Amino acid sequence: MPDYGHDLMFGSFITPGSADPKQVLDLAQASEAAGLDLVTFQDHPYQPRFLDTWTLLTYVAARTERVRLAGNVLNLPLRPPAVLARAAASLDLLSGGRFELGLGAGGFREAIEAMGGRRLTPAQSVDALGEAIDVIRGVWDAGNTARLRIDGTYYQVDGAKRGPAPAHDIGIWLGAYKPRMLRLVGGKADGWLPSLPYLSDVRRLADGNAIIDEAAAAAGRDPAAVRRLLNVGGRFGPGGEELFSGPPGRWAEQLAGLTLEYGVSGYIVMADDPAVLRTFGGEVAPATRELVASARASASRT
């Protein structure tokens, strides 16, 4: 698969544990100090062991200066899209354009229902997410003087006022694995954000890319408009046979290979260890950028 040409982005995936809130903030600040571009948190509003992710994102935004922030990914069924759109735009304005919107259809249906959410089938959840994206983009379209009206099966907006507009064009990144969701990524989203452990095989990136690219083309979009991101985990140390098991240089070679072969341009390390964050931001990220830049330069000369 092609290299889609995006600038590389590196981030952290931090557990939002409620037992030690200071540690969560410390890890976010350590991510920024390590030179990472992005800090993300999973979102499970039904999980009492976790801090509320939206509150956490807001707090971390106020305690950092440069790093971008995102849910990885936000639970749509428990976050009404019109309200979420205004919250996202507000946080983007308050943080100086540092928020990105990672969204998921919601996979833990019994837990969602226990918190008062609707219990939808997988297919219904994807359709609801597609409607939600329309609502969110409609709210952000503050320059449009027409009242927002969307009469969906799952979400209805009847004459809502639009705005505020976010400080920058917020990316909507979807956590997706199956064809129906991947088609939604290609048709309406700005990014694909899976986790490598759930893919089971790195070659599934090619399958996902093919579905996304076809859906983007069918929607009249350039497939390269969709950024490909990836949550990754591993360990630093002596080399092993598996991916991301070895010294930083080997990580950089493997990440660069994923960029050049599968088009991934955003790498988010799943780690709650400040030493891992320092190595990932201080050694792996610059080495990966250098390898990719060199390969792109060579390709442009041929």
Side-chain angles (χ1 to χ4, degrees):
M1 295 300 293
D3 171 12
Y4 296 97
H6 292 275
D7 291 340
L8 298 189
M9 176 190 303
F10 296 85
S12 60
F13 184 106
I14 298 168
T15 304
S18 59
D20 190 351
K22 184 179 183 302
Q23 181 188 41
V24 180
L25 175 61
D26 288 346
L27 288 167
Q29 292 174 326
S31 299
E32 183 168 69
L36 295 176
D37 308 295
L38 178 70
V39 171
T40 73
F41 305 99
Q42 59 189 293
D43 181 36
H44 298 284
Y46 38 76
Q47 177 53 264
R49 292 186 294 106
F50 290 166
L51 297 165
D52 172 68
T53 297
W54 190 262
T55 306
L56 176 59
L57 288 165
T58 304
Y59 188 79
V60 171
R63 299 293 298 272
T64 53
E65 298 179 355
R66 176 193 54 79
V67 75
R68 283 191 267 180
L69 302 161
N72 193 347
V73 287
L74 291 174
N75 185 294
L76 175 67
L78 293 175
R79 301 189 183 279
V83 177
L84 178 60
R86 287 211 170 99
S90 299
L91 182 52
D92 198 53
L93 289 164
L94 289 165
S95 66
R98 295 192 286 128
F99 180 72
E100 308 295 347
L101 185 59
L103 277 179
F108 296 89
R109 296 175 188 87
E110 291 184 359
I112 290 168
E113 188 177 25
M115 288 284 287
R118 289 180 292 188
R119 186 180 182 122
L120 303 177
T121 68
Q124 289 172 331
S125 295
V126 177
D127 292 343
L129 179 54
E131 291 181 6
I133 291 173
D134 294 337
V135 172
I136 291 166
R137 294 201 190 281
V139 171
W140 289 345
D141 188 13
N144 188 337
T145 58
R147 294 292 183 98
L148 180 61
R149 288 184 169 82
I150 293 176
D151 186 19
T153 301
Y154 305 97
Y155 295 110
Q156 299 81 37
V157 181
D158 187 10
K161 294 182 180 180
R162 302 175 191 261
H168 85 298
D169 290 332
I170 295 175
I172 297 178
W173 303 337
L174 303 187
Y177 298 93
K178 296 184 178 180
R180 193 182 188 99
M181 273 288 284
L182 292 167
R183 288 192 291 271
L184 179 59
V185 173
K188 292 188 177 183
D190 304 300
W192 177 31
L193 178 53
S195 294
L196 186 56
Y198 291 148
L199 290 173
S200 71
D201 189 327
V202 71
R203 289 171 293 187
R204 288 188 60 192
L205 289 169
D207 299 332
N209 280 335
I211 296 171
I212 291 169
D213 291 354
E214 182 179 359
R221 307 178 69 206
D222 180 356
V226 181
R227 179 185 281 275
R228 321 297 158 115
L229 305 102
L230 189 63
N231 295 317
V232 300
R235 64 178 183 84
F236 295 113
E241 294 184 1
E242 64 271 21
L243 275 174
F244 311 125
S245 175
R250 181 172 180 181
W251 277 60
E253 291 171 356
Q254 293 173 340
L255 293 176
L258 292 180
T259 296
L260 299 170
E261 185 173 357
Y262 299 107
V264 181
S265 59
Y267 297 104
I268 303 169
V269 66
M270 300 181 288
D272 294 329
D273 183 343
V276 171
L277 300 179
R278 286 193 298 270
T279 301
F280 193 64
E283 299 183 48
V284 175
T288 306
R289 288 190 170 102
E290 184 175 342
L291 290 170
V292 170
S294 177
R296 287 173 172 174
S298 297
S300 68
R301 291 194 293 267
T302 60

